[in-house]
C-alpha cells in the first residue's frame, strides 16, 4: 500500500498572522514539501492542476520534473490532470517525457476539476464535461498503446497517421487513476479500462464514498479485470496532527474556520464527524484512517491534504515529521496484516513492466458510449 500527500497549490492568507505568501514562496514551498515527504519515508506526492487564482499549480509536469531531479525514491503523481480541458495529445507527450526523466517514478490522476470558468478559457463547454472526460481518455489510451493512431471524435480535430513522442518508457504507459467525488460515469470509466479509481472524499460522508467504490468494484469485475475486491482503489483525506488532540484542535481551528473551501460553514467538530478530516493525535489519525477500510475495502493508495488553508511551511514540515515517523509506519503494519494475499499492491512502473506479458490491452477506436467510451463496433461485440 502506498501512503503520501497531495497538494492543490492554493495561495491562502494565514489567518493567525494575516500574511499571504507570494506565488514564488508558495511554489518553492511545494518543492520543500516534496523533498520532506521523501525524507520521512512517504511513497507518493501528487500535484494539482488549476488555472485560476488563488492557485499556482498550473503546470504539474514542470513541477514534477523539477522534483524528480531532486528526489530518488518518491513516486510523483497528480491530484488532478484536467482531462477535459487539456488536449490528450499534450497529456500523452508531456507525461511520457516526464516518465523518461523520472525513470518511471510517475503516474497520474485524471479529473474534471472543480472550477467551471476554466472550460471556456480553453475553448470548451462545461456542459460537455463528462463527454470530454470519456472521449479524451479514449484517445489518450490509444496514443500510449498504438504507435500510429487514426482517430476521429466529437471534441477535437481528427488524427491521421499520428505518433505521439516520446513513446512510453519501456513500452509501458504511466498508470492512470480516474478521480471523482460524485460522478458514477467516472467510476464506470475506470472500471472499463481496468484503471485505478481515486475517491477524494474529503468533503463527503462515508456512505457516499462507499457507494462510488462499490460501483467501481462491481464494474471492474464485470469487465473481466479480476474480482471486485482486487480493484485498484485510492482514497483522499485530510489530517492535522499534534502530540495531543487538544493542541491539534486548538492549532488547526483558525485555519479550518477561515479556509476558502469550508470556512464559515460547519463546525470543525461536525466536519470531523461527517468526513475523513482527522485532527488529533497520531493515534487518533491512525484509528480513523484504519476505519476507511470498513467501507472502502482493501485499497492501494492513501493520500492526505496537508499544506492548505494558509498553513505556514514550517507547520507543514512538522506535520510531515509526525505523519512519516509515527502514523504511516503503524498504518503500513496494520493494513498489511489485514490485506488478503490476492489483493494486488499499488501499481508501479516496475510491476506494470513485469506484468506486461500477462495482459491483453484493448483500445477503443472511436467514442459512442458516453460512459465507457466504447466504439459502435465494440458495443456490437459486447
Amino acid at each position: 500500500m502506498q501512503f503520501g500527500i497531495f497538494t492543490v497549490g492554493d495561495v491562502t492568507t494565514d489567518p493567525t498572522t494575516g500574511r499571504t505568501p507570494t506565488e514564488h514562496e508558495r511554489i518553492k514551498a511545494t518543492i520543500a514539501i516534496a523533498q520532506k515527504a521523501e525524507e520521512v519515508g512517504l511513497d507518493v506526492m501528487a500535484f494539482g492542476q488549476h488555472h485560476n487564482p488563488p492557485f499556482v499549480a498550473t503546470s504539474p509536469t514542470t513541477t514534477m520534473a523539477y522534483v524528480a531531479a531532486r528526489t530518488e525514491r518518491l513516486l510523483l503523481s497528480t491530484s488532478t490532470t484536467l482531462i477535459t480541458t487539456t488536449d490528450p495529445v499534450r497529456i500523452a507527450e508531456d507525461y511520457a517525457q516526464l516518465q523518461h526523466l523520472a525513470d518511471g517514478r510517475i503516474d497520474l490522476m485524471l479529473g474534471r476539476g472543480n472550477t467551471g470558468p476554466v472550460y471556456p478559457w480553453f475553448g470548451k463547454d462545461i456542459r460537455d464535461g463528462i463527454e470530454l472526460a470519456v472521449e479524451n481518455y479514449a484517445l489518450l489510451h490509444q496514443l500510449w498503446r498504438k504507435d500510429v493512431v487514426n482517430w476521429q471524435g466529437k471534441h477535437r480535430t481528427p488524427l491521421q497517421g499520428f505518433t505521439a513522442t516520446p513513446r512510453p518508457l519501456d513500452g509501458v504507459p504511466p498508470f492512470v487513476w480516474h478521480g471523482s467525488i460524485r460522478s458514477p460515469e467516472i467510476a464506470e470509466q475506470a472500471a472499463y479500462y481496468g484503471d485505478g479509481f481515486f475517491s477524494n472524499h474529503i468533503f463527503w460522508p462515508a456512505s457516499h464514498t462507499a457507494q462510488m467504490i462499490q460501483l467501481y468494484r462491481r464494474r471492474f469485475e464485470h469487465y473481466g479485470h479480476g474480482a471486485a475486491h482486487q480493484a485498484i482503489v485510492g482514497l483522499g483525506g485530510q489530517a492535522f496532527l499534534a502530540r495531543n488532540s487538544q493542541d491539534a484542535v486548538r492549532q488547526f481551528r483558525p485555519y479550518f474556520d477561515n479556509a476558502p473551501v469550508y470556512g464559515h460553514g460547519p463546525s470543525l467538530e461536525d466536519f470531523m464527524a461527517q468526513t475523513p478530516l482527522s485532527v488529533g493525535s497520531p493515534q487518533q489519525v491512525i484509528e480513523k484512517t484504519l476505519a476507511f477500510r470498513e467501507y472502502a475495502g482493501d485499497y492501494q493508495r492513501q493520500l492526505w491534504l496537508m499544506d492548505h488553508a494558509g498553513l505556514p511551511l514550517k507547520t507543514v514540515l512538522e506535520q510531515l515529521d509526525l505523519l512519516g515517523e509515527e502514523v504511516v509506519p503503524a498504518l503500513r503494519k496494520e493494513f498489511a496484516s489485514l490485506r488478503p494475499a490476492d489483493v494486488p499492491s499499488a501499481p508501479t512502473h516496475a510491476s506494470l513492466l513485469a506484468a506486461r506479458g500477462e495482459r491483453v490491452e484493448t483500445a477503443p477506436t472511436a467514442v459512442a458510449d458516453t460512459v465507457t467510451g466504447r466504439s459502435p463496433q465494440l458495443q456490437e461485440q459486447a
Side-chain angles (χ1 to χ4, degrees):
M1 185 166 174
Q2 295 171 342
F3 296 94
I5 57 175
F6 70 97
T7 179
V8 296
D10 62 308
V11 180
T12 304
T13 301
D14 185 334
T16 68
T17 64
R19 186 181 185 280
T20 305
T22 66
E23 291 181 331
H24 178 75
E25 289 172 330
R26 188 68 177 91
I27 291 169
K28 299 296 279 189
T30 302
I31 307 304
I33 291 166
Q35 292 176 302
K36 185 69 170 181
E38 176 167 275
E39 176 190 322
V40 301
L42 300 185
D43 303 307
V44 186
M45 181 164 178
F47 303 82
Q49 180 184 358
H50 292 275
H51 296 277
N52 57 291
F55 302 99
V56 293
T58 59
S59 181
T61 51
T62 303
T63 305
M64 291 163 72
Y66 189 93
V67 172
R70 284 157 176 76
T71 56
E72 297 179 356
R73 301 176 305 281
L74 191 67
L75 196 155
L76 308 176
S77 188
T78 57
S79 48
T80 307
T81 296
L82 296 177
I83 187 63
T84 46
T85 53
T86 308
D87 187 85
V89 173
R90 184 78 265 176
I91 294 175
E93 295 182 339
D94 282 351
Y95 284 91
Q97 182 98 11
L98 177 59
Q99 190 189 32
H100 284 272
L101 291 171
D103 294 323
R105 288 189 290 127
I106 73 118
D107 59 34
L108 67 159
M109 186 199 308
L110 302 179
R112 290 178 290 138
N114 59 5
T115 308
V118 73
Y119 284 81
W121 295 344
F122 291 90
K124 305 299 180 183
D125 188 327
I126 193 173
R127 293 170 293 186
D128 297 328
I130 292 291
E131 278 190 21
L132 285 163
V134 171
E135 179 176 296
N136 284 352
Y137 184 60
L139 174 54
L140 175 61
H141 193 270
Q142 282 198 55
L143 290 168
W144 274 338
R145 290 165 175 81
K146 297 177 68 175
D147 289 337
V148 180
V149 172
N150 296 296
W151 183 90
Q152 184 170 350
K154 177 181 176 181
H155 294 285
R156 78 175 313 281
T157 54
L159 296 174
Q160 295 181 349
F162 180 79
T163 299
T165 59
R167 305 305 296 148
L169 177 65
D170 299 319
V172 177
F175 186 75
V176 170
W177 302 82
H178 299 259
S180 181
I181 296 175
R182 64 185 183 277
S183 301
E185 297 92 339
I186 303 304
E188 178 80 11
Q189 183 185 38
Y192 172 65
Y193 288 100
D195 295 335
F197 179 65
F198 191 93
S199 181
N200 190 10
H201 62 327
I202 59 176
F203 301 124
W204 289 75
S207 58
H208 172 81
T209 300
Q211 289 179 336
M212 291 287 286
I213 292 175
Q214 288 166 8
L215 169 63
Y216 162 67
R217 289 187 183 279
R218 289 197 306 271
R219 301 303 287 170
F220 182 94
E221 182 172 297
H222 168 80
Y223 288 118
H225 300 298
H229 72 280
Q230 296 173 316
I232 309 300
V233 174
L235 294 181
Q238 294 170 280
F240 187 89
L241 297 135
R243 291 296 179 186
N244 63 72
S245 60
Q246 294 88 349
D247 286 342
V249 170
R250 175 180 55 80
Q251 292 169 22
F252 187 64
R253 189 181 299 279
Y255 295 96
F256 176 89
D257 288 346
N258 293 281
V261 289
Y262 42 49
H264 313 288
S267 70
L268 174 59
E269 286 74 15
D270 285 345
F271 203 79
M272 283 195 291
Q274 297 168 15
T275 76
L277 175 63
S278 304
V279 181
S281 67
Q283 185 58 39
Q284 288 174 311
V285 174
I286 291 167
E287 292 172 0
K288 184 157 188 175
T289 306
L290 286 171
F292 296 167
R293 184 178 177 274
E294 296 173 6
Y295 56 86
D298 291 290
Y299 62 109
Q300 282 78 12
R301 176 175 287 185
Q302 174 66 56
L303 302 182
W304 290 275
L305 179 62
M306 306 290 289
D307 69 330
H308 63 122
L311 288 165
L313 176 59
K314 180 176 181 294
T315 300
V316 175
L317 298 181
E318 291 169 348
Q319 292 289 301
L320 295 183
D321 278 328
L322 290 172
L323 186 70
E325 295 171 5
E326 298 194 28
V327 174
V328 167
L331 289 175
R332 285 194 201 281
K333 180 179 179 180
E334 290 297 323
F335 276 117
S337 69
L338 297 168
R339 182 182 301 272
D342 63 341
V343 172
S345 299
T348 64
H349 182 74
S351 69
L352 294 174
L353 182 60
R356 180 171 54 180
E358 302 172 11
R359 294 198 311 256
V360 177
E361 298 286 359
T362 59
T365 56
V367 172
D369 188 313
T370 58
V371 174
T372 65
R374 287 181 291 179
S375 67
Q377 295 89 342
L378 287 174
Q379 290 188 53
E380 291 172 3
Q381 296 168 9

